[in-house]
Amino acid sequence: MKKIILTLMLAASLAVLFSCTKNNDNPIASAAKTYVIVPGAWQAPYAWQFVKANLEKSGNHVIVIELPGHGADQTLPQTLTMDVYRDKVISAINGISGKVILVGHSLGGVVISEVAEKIPARIEKLIYIAAYVPLAGQSLLDLASTDTTSVLGQSLRPSVDMLTLDVLRDKIIDSFIGDGSTEIQNLVLSNFRVEPAIPFGNKVTLTEANYGSVPKFYIKTLQDHAVTPKLQIRMIAASGLKSIYQLNTSHSPFLSKPDSVAILLTNISK
């Protein structure tokens, strides 16, 4: 009799253990998210490699977009518009099942806004990081031209044909990654290339029915010399954003504090 009782108790214990294991596995799987990240101007997927690796360790799927005319892409600048950027992101999302967390940095903020206007049902949340947040009818240039204390703004040098924008070499680090290690700063310098200019002047079309229906979050960068905190505050107020976070970093927290960015993205995505 004792043997029977012990056998039943053991079987019950194993059943509970197996049940707990299954239940613990499911929340982990269901918590995994798909992040689509749009880098900013003068940057490319390399800048997000550390955040990407961190998020993927937790089982998330991460796609960092290489915008046309950035990174290794050699699309001619005269063919590029904000719509071309938008369509590149939409194409990537269309290749994914389910909703995505769409993240935009700097220029990427305008891009993700346009994407949300076109495919709002595919986007779970929009997350802006040190990003431009346009209103309907505004362009990045409209917003950036009001940022009178921006180191980046004062350091821009357009090409003769006005198709690209360069940054004074001795202002690149101060503009983008003043709080980064020497190794990280050299990474930015070695990957730097001129920026296509036409998309900066393209005005966005946004509606409350589409773009307005997607939950939005903003991560401020308090030591930003490219998109200054003052401009960030003005854009947040004008857009009516309520879910605000902050990092005490330069314009590129994904390079200077990638762990902090990954934690913040994970918390926002819950």
Side-chain angles (χ1 to χ4, degrees), residues 97-258:
S97 62
K99 290 191 174 186
V100 305
I101 307 291
L102 187 56
V103 182
H105 170 247
S106 198
L107 161 81
V110 182
V111 180
I112 68 172
S113 298
E114 288 237 307
V115 172
E117 174 62 25
K118 290 297 182 180
I119 53 168
R122 295 299 315 281
I123 302 167
E124 184 177 337
K125 293 176 182 178
L126 285 179
I127 303 178
Y128 297 85
I129 299 183
Y132 293 100
V133 185
L135 301 177
Q138 285 186 325
S139 68
L140 185 153
L141 188 59
D142 290 333
L143 295 168
S145 62
T146 68
D147 204 2
T148 56
T149 60
S150 167
V151 171
L152 175 62
Q154 298 167 12
S155 306
L156 295 180
R157 294 297 181 269
S159 59
V160 175
D161 58 12
M162 304 298 288
L163 290 175
T164 62
L165 289 168
D166 203 351
V167 180
L168 291 174
R169 185 74 178 181
D170 62 352
K171 296 297 183 181
I172 293 174
I173 296 303
D174 190 14
S175 296
F176 295 109
I177 188 65
D179 58 344
S181 66
T182 300
E183 180 182 7
I184 289 297
Q185 291 177 349
N186 288 335
L187 179 67
V188 171
L189 290 172
S190 65
N191 283 277
F192 185 85
R193 59 178 290 194
V194 296
E195 177 72 15
I198 293 173
F200 280 33
N202 295 152
K203 298 182 184 297
V204 301
T205 299
L206 304 174
T207 64
E208 187 60 29
N210 292 343
Y211 168 74
S213 68
V214 182
K216 301 171 187 67
F217 303 79
Y218 198 100
I219 301 174
K220 294 164 55 181
T221 40
L222 303 183
Q223 304 300 322
D224 201 320
H225 293 172
V227 181
T228 66
K230 288 184 179 179
L231 176 57
Q232 292 180 39
I233 291 169
R234 291 202 303 273
M235 291 187 294
I236 289 168
S239 301
L241 299 180
K242 303 299 182 184
S243 300
I244 315 302
Y245 301 79
Q246 61 186 37
L247 291 166
N248 191 29
T249 69
S250 68
H251 191 56
S252 305
F254 37 84
L255 286 170
S256 60
K257 292 187 177 180

